[in-house]
């Protein structure tokens, strides 16, 4: 019933917007940060994923990142990613804003994907600014820890993701908030909505009159603001919405 209501809202959307988090990639085998089995139950985020910790000890950062990066590079999109791409292709979503850095929305055919926490597919030298594909850097981590810049030899090579203590990418945030203010339907998927300012995006949408749909495995702080709340797996719920819309 709620899935049907979500499909109805989306079928009438002319400026829909999606916001996704780690949960949408869980069914692709990438662990989430919070919740059951989440990475933060294993590591302290400020110790491993802050810019200060990185600068103090790049090798310690890379030892953790090596494992996660390997998983993310090998991951493939799941039916939830494909369903969002289908909603975008059908004109029901103007864009997909994501907190994820795994690139799976692009791999599944998403066209306008706004990465508010950067991309893990690229690594940047903080000394000379040279960039390399993550896959190249990943391939030499077994023999080089931390990895060295192939241009200048520096050991401060950082994935182009936003670490704790780093500013958000200004252009991506502005684009996301502008789309949120124009949105008639806001679809939030697989995010605990506790990381700000990304969590302010759906708030901006609701304040400007968007109707909110939340699809998440667990309750979120935004459920009370939503017109439709579906507690389920995105890889099951989103394809069902697309089916009801007659997409496939
Ligand atoms: P989170 O880890 O805080 O929360 C994930 C949420 O997804 C939880 O509420 C959980 O209940 C839900 N969930 C888990 N499996 C699900 C499923 N199959 N279907 C629907 N919901 C499911 O995620 P977040 O809020 O995105 O965390 C914030 C930060 O973590 C972001 O900055 C993001 O960059 C980073 N992150 C990214 C990745 C990735 O790129 N794949 C992975 C982990 C964390
Ligand atoms: Zn360099």
């Amino acid at each position: 019933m709620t899935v049907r209501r979500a499909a109805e809202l989306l079928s009438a959307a002319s400026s829909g917007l999606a916001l996704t988090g780690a949960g949408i990639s869980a069914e692709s085998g990438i662990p989430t940060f919070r919740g059951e089995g989440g990475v933060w139950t294993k590591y302290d985020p400020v110790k491993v994923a802050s810019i200060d910790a990185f600068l103090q000890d790049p090798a310690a950062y890379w030892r953790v990142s090596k494992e996660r990066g390997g998983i993310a590079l090998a991951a493939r999109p799941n039916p939830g990613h494909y369903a969002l791409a289908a909603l975008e292709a059908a004109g029901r979503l103007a864009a997909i804003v994501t907190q994820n850095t795994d690139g799976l929305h692009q791999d599944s055919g998403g066209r306008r994907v706004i990465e508010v926490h950067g991309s893990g597919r690229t690594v940047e030298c903080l000394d000379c600014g040279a960039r390399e594909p993550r896959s190249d850097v990943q391939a030499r981590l077994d023999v080089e820890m931390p990895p060295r810049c192939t241009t200048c030899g520096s050991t401060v090579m950082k994935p182009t993701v936003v670490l704790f203590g780093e500013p958000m990418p200004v252009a991506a945030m502005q684009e996301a908030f502008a789309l949120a203010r124009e949105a008639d339907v806001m679809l939030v998927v697989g995010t605990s909505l506790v990381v700000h300012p990304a969590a302010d995006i759906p708030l901006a949408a609701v304040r400007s009159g968007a109707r909110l749909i939340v699809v998440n495995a667990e309750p979120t702080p935004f459920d009370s603001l939503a017109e439709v709340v579906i507690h389920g797996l995105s890889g099951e719920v989103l394809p069902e919405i697309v089916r009801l819309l007659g997409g496939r």
Side-chain angles (χ1 to χ4, degrees):
M1 205 54 208
T2 48
V3 178
R4 191 167 294 280
R5 183 74 190 123
E8 272 168 22
L9 287 181
L10 279 163
S11 72
S14 60
S15 53
L17 186 66
L19 171 70
T20 68
I24 194 163
S25 295
E27 288 158 271
S28 293
I30 304 176
T32 59
F33 277 3
R34 296 174 186 77
E36 217 173 306
V39 179
W40 294 154
T41 57
K42 232 160 100 185
Y43 304 106
D44 174 353
V46 181
K47 277 201 186 128
V48 292
S50 72
I51 184 66
D52 288 346
F54 171 82
L55 292 172
Q56 229 167 42
D57 190 352
Y61 173 89
W62 276 102
R63 280 193 289 274
V64 175
S65 184
K66 183 183 172 190
E67 181 191 334
R68 281 190 64 78
I71 295 169
L73 286 173
R76 303 303 312 141
N78 68 58
H81 296 107
Y82 287 112
L84 285 188
L87 288 173
E88 186 191 19
R92 307 278 71 90
L93 294 175
I96 301 165
V97 177
T98 187
Q99 300 168 78
N100 296 343
T101 57
D102 55 35
L104 294 181
H105 286 303
Q106 291 91 330
D107 287 352
S108 58
R111 287 185 293 219
R112 190 168 177 189
V113 179
I114 303 165
E115 295 175 307
V116 292
H117 290 162
S119 167
R121 294 261 174 104
T122 306
V123 177
E124 183 178 23
C125 172
L126 298 188
D127 275 334
C128 79
R131 288 185 168 208
E132 274 191 77
R134 168 70 190 236
S135 50
D136 290 0
V137 175
Q138 187 76 16
R140 54 182 201 266
L141 289 178
D142 280 334
V143 292
E144 201 178 72
M145 187 62 85
R148 279 185 180 279
C149 173
T150 51
T151 304
C152 78
S154 161
T155 55
V156 282
M157 296 280 287
K158 189 183 93 54
T160 55
V161 300
V162 179
L163 297 181
F164 288 104
E166 284 194 295
M168 306 281 285
V170 175
M173 285 305 278
Q174 281 175 349
E175 192 182 0
F177 275 103
L179 286 162
R181 285 190 293 268
E182 287 165 13
D184 49 9
V185 175
M186 179 84 221
L187 171 62
V188 171
V189 183
T191 171
S192 54
L193 290 172
V194 297
V195 180
H196 291 267
D200 296 327
I201 294 166
L203 209 55
V206 170
R207 285 207 182 111
S208 308
R211 304 166 97 172
L212 179 64
I213 303 169
V214 173
V215 177
N216 202 60
E218 300 166 318
T220 79
F222 282 58
D223 289 4
S224 57
L225 290 176
E227 190 157 333
V228 180
V229 178
I230 304 170
H231 292 148
L233 301 181
S234 47
E236 295 171 5
V237 174
L238 297 178
E240 183 59 21
I241 291 175
V242 170
R243 263 195 300 279
L244 288 170
L245 279 168
R248 56 177 74 152

